[in-house]
């Protein structure tokens, strides 16, 4: 999410290092996806049969970690370049597609899995658009020195989140 704020605050989207941020976002999301699958495996090992159904639901829902960087990257690219018509159309298609999938699965007796499947399904229209339209989002291995501004922004955002949340807790507590 910090990538999104950083991309949208860029003064000139054409000079923004889309590929660096995009590639690091994909790597981070893949890491989180692997961690979620490891946690599911641990739960299956200790949770037994009670955890089996929940494990399948978690596996379906965690697919979003693989799909979101592509969809979110393209969404941010559209927003930063003020391509509002395409962005809104894709948002509408996304809502209709994920809702339709959820309703269809629910009608066929998939229960809570229908809800879990809706989460990654919201990214599908953005993925299709990502592969159809020309865009600057390319996978590459960025050098850390090329990511200097991104690291600085992420550090400041993390500090702001930590201190902002902490101060909110102390005011409310």
């Amino acid at each position: 999410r910090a990538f999104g704020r950083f991309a949208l605050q860029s003064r000139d989207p054409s000079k923004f290092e889309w590929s660096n941020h995009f590639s690091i976002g994909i790597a981070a999301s893949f890491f989180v996806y692997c961690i979620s699958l490891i946690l599911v495996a641990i739960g299956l090992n200790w949770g037994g049969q009670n955890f089996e159904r929940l494990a399948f639901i978690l596996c379906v829902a965690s697919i979003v970690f693989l799909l979101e960087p592509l969809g979110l990257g393209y969404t941010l690219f559209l927003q930063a370049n003020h391509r509002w018509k395409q962005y809104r159309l894709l948002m509408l298609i996304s809502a209709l597609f994920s809702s339709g999938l959820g309703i269809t699965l629910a009608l066929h007796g998939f229960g809570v899995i229908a809800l879990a499947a809706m989460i990654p399904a919201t990214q599908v229209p953005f993925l299709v658009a990502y592969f159809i339209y020309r865009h600057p989002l390319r996978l590459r291995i960025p050098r850390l020195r090329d990511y200097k501004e991104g690291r600085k922004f992420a550090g400041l955002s993390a500090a702001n989140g930590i201190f902002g949340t902490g101060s909110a807790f102390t005011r409310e507590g």
Side-chain angles (χ1 to χ4, degrees):
R1 301 285 177 203
F3 161 65
R5 291 192 312 271
F6 185 57
L8 295 176
Q9 290 180 6
S10 178
R11 300 280 184 229
D12 185 3
S14 65
K15 293 181 180 177
F16 185 73
E17 289 291 332
W18 290 100
S19 293
N20 283 347
H21 299 285
F22 180 66
S23 299
I24 288 175
I26 286 178
S29 291
F30 182 74
F31 177 74
V32 171
Y33 175 73
C34 290
I35 295 296
S36 68
L37 292 183
I38 290 169
L39 292 175
V40 166
I42 291 169
L44 281 172
N45 194 28
W46 282 309
Q49 287 185 327
N50 295 335
F51 194 76
E52 284 180 12
R53 183 142 171 95
L54 179 60
F56 183 68
I57 293 166
L58 292 173
C59 286
V60 169
S62 67
I63 292 171
V64 76
F65 295 125
L66 297 176
L67 301 180
E68 190 176 47
L70 296 170
L72 181 62
Y74 193 65
T75 301
L76 294 170
F77 174 75
L78 293 175
Q79 290 175 336
N81 288 287
H82 305 287
R83 295 185 184 175
W84 301 114
K85 183 178 179 182
Q86 186 180 8
Y87 171 71
R88 295 288 180 210
L89 180 62
L90 285 169
M91 289 293 288
L92 176 64
I93 293 169
S94 174
L96 293 173
F97 176 74
S98 65
S99 299
L101 177 68
I103 291 169
T104 302
L105 290 174
L107 289 174
H108 285 89
F110 285 93
V112 80
I113 294 171
L115 294 173
M118 288 175 61
I119 299 167
T122 59
Q123 298 300 318
V124 171
F126 290 99
L127 290 171
V128 171
Y130 167 81
F131 288 111
I132 291 175
Y133 297 107
R134 292 181 51 84
H135 51 78
L137 304 174
R138 302 283 184 247
L139 276 177
R140 70 176 189 189
I141 299 174
R143 295 178 302 199
L144 285 178
R145 68 175 176 214
D146 292 341
Y147 200 64
K148 183 179 178 182
E149 286 183 48
R151 287 191 325 243
K152 180 180 176 184
F153 185 84
L156 291 174
S157 293
N160 184 33
I162 291 168
F163 294 121
T165 304
S167 66
F169 284 134
T170 56
R171 280 194 303 266
E172 293 174 12

